[in-house]
Amino acid sequence: MTTTAPITQPTPRFELDAYQALSEDVLIHRISQVRERMGSELIILGHHYQRDEVIQQSDLRGDSYKLSKIAAENDACRAIVFCGVHFMAETADILANQPDNLQRRDGQRVKVILPDLAAGCSMADMAAIEQVESAWNELAEVTDTAEMTPITYVNSAASLKAFCGRHGGIVCTSSNAESVLRWAFQQRDRVLFFPDQHLGRNTALRMGITNQQMPVWDPFADDLGGLDEGAIRDSKVILWNGNCSVHQVFQPEHVHQFRKQIPGIQVVVHPECCQQVNDLADESGSTGKIIETIQHAPAGSKWAIGTEWHLVNRLKQQHPDLEIHFLAPIVCMCSTMYRIDLPHLCWSLENLAAGTPVNVIHVDAETAKWSLIALQRMLDVS
Ligand code: 13P
Ligand code: SF4
């Protein structure tokens, strides 16, 4: 979270503590009052992993890709309250306040607000800019980095997106990783993919790249990411040793158990799950694709879903005609998304309406400029 510009924020008119004791009904009522007052100037965006009571307050919901597009294209609003995690709010700030948009709005910025600044992403934290820069420099000693495209999963700090922008690289989301990888191989021979090794591996395997061609770079190893020079020279995709703590809970035995217990069950998983789980699944895709798959499923069909618990639970409630199971025997949820609750949402909205916005995410101009280049490449290919 190092790329948020140090902007001066006014002292909040309202303190968070006062909101923690309010009932859900009162919070919902007060949220709706702010929405009425601000009208089309305000958009509340919600990622699919948010808890139910928060997602119900969102004007628009989506996966990371859809939410990025909304932020890039929405011209009417002056504030986006982002019920998601930090990298999503940073991306929204970069896209909503890109130079063309600012010009159309006579220089007026869209304020992007993350209701709780502690809503980060543990996977994004697994690749720090210093580590990526040092990996790049080390790789330059054994291979030609002018022939290597850096790709960052959108689940990363803006500084990593800027790194990709500066080095001819690109951003991907879980819904467009394959088109992005294809684009990368049209430019250069090799890819450095961070921070999620599983999304990188699952996508590249589908394109015919083998595991032997995908060594894993360990940012904590003493030398060359723990790899030998030959492995790097023979590689097509160098994967960063990062993962999502939520999706790594899903294991091949969970798929085997469901198939044994419920004949005919179909399994759909997020590509952040490991290779073995992806290989065993019937379908794999972003949260948006998982939702679409379930929406089109024939009545009576049976599904085990490998992604965050709140989304699976919501799908279960929305589709009583289907038999839906959570793929793991334990509840695993994104604890950082979960930090966004009604008290934080109401607190941030009332301060925004009072002219004392809190938790404004403002990526510094230099980082935003280079990040936008990598994000725009992604929007152009997908
Ligand atoms: P989506 O791209 O499906 O929104 O996934 C984002 C994410 O953080 C999943 O863990
Ligand atoms: Fe990050 Fe995993 Fe949470 Fe997605 S589910 S935001 S990758 S920690």
Side-chain angles (χ1 to χ4, degrees), residues 167-363:
H167 291 89
I170 187 165
V171 178
C172 76
T173 73
S174 60
S175 64
N176 59 24
E178 190 163 334
S179 330
V180 166
L181 261 185
R182 284 193 196 290
W183 175 88
F185 282 117
Q186 280 160 11
Q187 321 299 314
R188 298 171 185 174
D189 295 339
R190 209 189 314 273
V191 160
L192 173 63
F193 191 99
F194 41 85
D196 186 21
Q197 60 169 299
H198 300 300
L199 177 66
R201 182 180 297 112
N202 290 325
T203 310
L205 284 168
R206 275 203 306 274
M207 295 165 60
I209 296 170
T210 64
N211 268 320
Q212 286 68 35
Q213 296 170 308
M214 288 191 273
V216 178
W217 181 277
D218 174 4
F220 296 102
D222 288 339
D223 198 28
L224 269 189
L227 300 172
D228 58 50
E229 290 186 24
I232 291 171
R233 288 208 193 91
D234 294 344
S235 68
K236 290 296 285 174
V237 180
I238 300 173
L239 299 168
W240 195 263
N241 190 14
N243 60 62
C244 164
S245 53
V246 177
H247 289 90
Q248 73 170 10
V249 167
F250 302 106
Q251 292 299 312
E253 56 267 27
H254 302 146
V255 180
H256 294 312
Q257 267 160 19
F258 269 113
R259 294 218 194 273
K260 204 166 132 198
Q261 279 163 12
I262 308 177
I265 196 162
Q266 296 182 73
V267 177
V268 55
V269 300
H270 197 279
E272 288 174 17
C273 297
C274 68
Q275 182 197 336
Q276 294 92 324
V277 169
N278 265 263
D279 287 352
L280 289 168
D282 298 286
E283 305 257 7
S284 162
S286 71
T287 51
K289 168 142 184 231
I290 292 173
I291 292 169
E292 219 176 279
T293 304
I294 295 300
Q295 277 168 348
H296 292 105
S301 56
K302 298 165 187 170
W303 294 86
I305 307 180
T307 196
E308 206 270 349
W309 184 80
H310 286 91
L311 173 55
V312 179
N313 210 28
R314 197 172 307 127
L315 286 171
K316 236 191 233 187
Q317 287 159 15
Q318 287 168 347
H319 298 277
D321 56 329
L322 305 179
E323 184 180 322
I324 293 180
H325 299 268
F326 187 63
L327 183 58
I330 52 162
V331 170
C332 51
M333 56 180 206
C334 180
S335 54
T336 45
M337 288 262 183
Y338 193 65
R339 294 195 68 99
I340 310 287
D341 56 11
L342 290 180
H344 281 88
L345 181 57
C346 188
W347 168 69
S348 56
L349 283 169
E350 290 194 340
N351 272 305
L352 174 68
T356 57
V358 289
N359 297 0
V360 178
I361 303 298
H362 183 168
V363 176

